[in-house]
Amino acid sequence: MRDHVDGYGAAGPLVFIVVSACLTVALFPGPLLAGASGLLFGTALGTPVSIVAATLGATLAFSLARWAGRDAAGELARGRLQRAREWIGERGFLSVLYARIAPGVPYNLVNYAAGLAPIRATAFIAATAIGCAPRAFAYTALGGSLSNLRSPEAIIAFAVLIAMAIVAVVVRPSGPGTGSSSPAARSAAPR
């Protein structure tokens, strides 16, 4: 595989970004793509390649969902679903950022779900680029360190993944209608 990508020369990372972005739209697992980037390009080059590819793929999926289904989602949203859409829309950047950091939240599902929610595209893209960076680094470093998972890069990658899991648990936002971030709690709060 390395020989094939080496055949593209300096265009290899660009080809990888395009292919990876298309695979992201097709629901291919992001960690495997980032790991492949590390395997092909090493951690130093592979990390920015992974971030750009993940952000581009997420933006394409977001745009596809918005183009194909936003009006239908708005018409079908009633009750709790509508409150959840509004909650996500109000916290667009932070909700996407949290979803990118939290372990176990399906990256590809967030892409399409955010396209159906009232989130500005710029907020989605910024939150995706920032939020996917630590995970992209970790999986890229692990892909680049497959031959030696005890290397400093691999140890740092494992530490980043553990830290992200801890941050996600500590910073967990309250959902729509719960906690201090609900509209009722905000209006009842002393001013």
Side-chain angles (χ1 to χ4, degrees):
M1 188 175 196
R2 283 182 182 160
D3 292 339
H4 183 71
V5 172
D6 285 344
Y8 288 108
L14 297 175
V15 171
F16 183 88
I17 288 170
V18 170
V19 170
S20 181
C22 291
L23 288 172
T24 298
V25 171
L27 306 175
F28 196 84
L32 293 178
L33 295 170
S37 179
L39 186 64
L40 295 171
F41 308 115
T43 304
L45 177 58
T47 297
V49 166
S50 293
I51 294 169
V52 171
T55 304
L56 178 60
T59 302
L60 291 172
F62 172 90
S63 299
L64 181 64
R66 178 145 296 175
W67 174 76
R70 184 176 184 184
D71 293 337
E75 290 175 20
L76 294 173
R78 301 282 185 260
R80 285 186 167 189
L81 181 58
Q82 180 59 29
R83 284 192 302 274
R85 288 183 78 240
E86 290 169 359
W87 182 86
I88 291 169
E90 289 171 8
R91 293 157 185 80
F93 176 86
L94 292 176
S95 63
V96 173
L97 182 64
Y98 178 79
R100 297 303 187 208
I101 293 171
V105 177
Y107 187 91
N108 292 325
L109 178 61
V110 171
N111 299 338
Y112 288 101
L116 299 175
I119 298 174
R120 289 188 334 246
T122 54
F124 174 81
I125 293 166
T128 295
I130 294 167
C132 82
R135 190 173 297 179
F137 160 77
Y139 290 125
T140 302
L142 289 174
S145 303
L146 278 180
S147 61
N148 182 9
L149 291 177
R150 292 185 177 154
S151 70
E153 276 182 356
I155 292 169
I156 293 170
F158 285 124
V160 166
L161 291 173
I162 291 167
M164 287 175 62
I166 292 169
V167 166
V169 169
V170 171
V171 182
R172 183 177 47 141
S174 59
T178 64
S180 62
S181 63
S182 72
R186 282 196 306 268
S187 64
R191 295 185 186 220

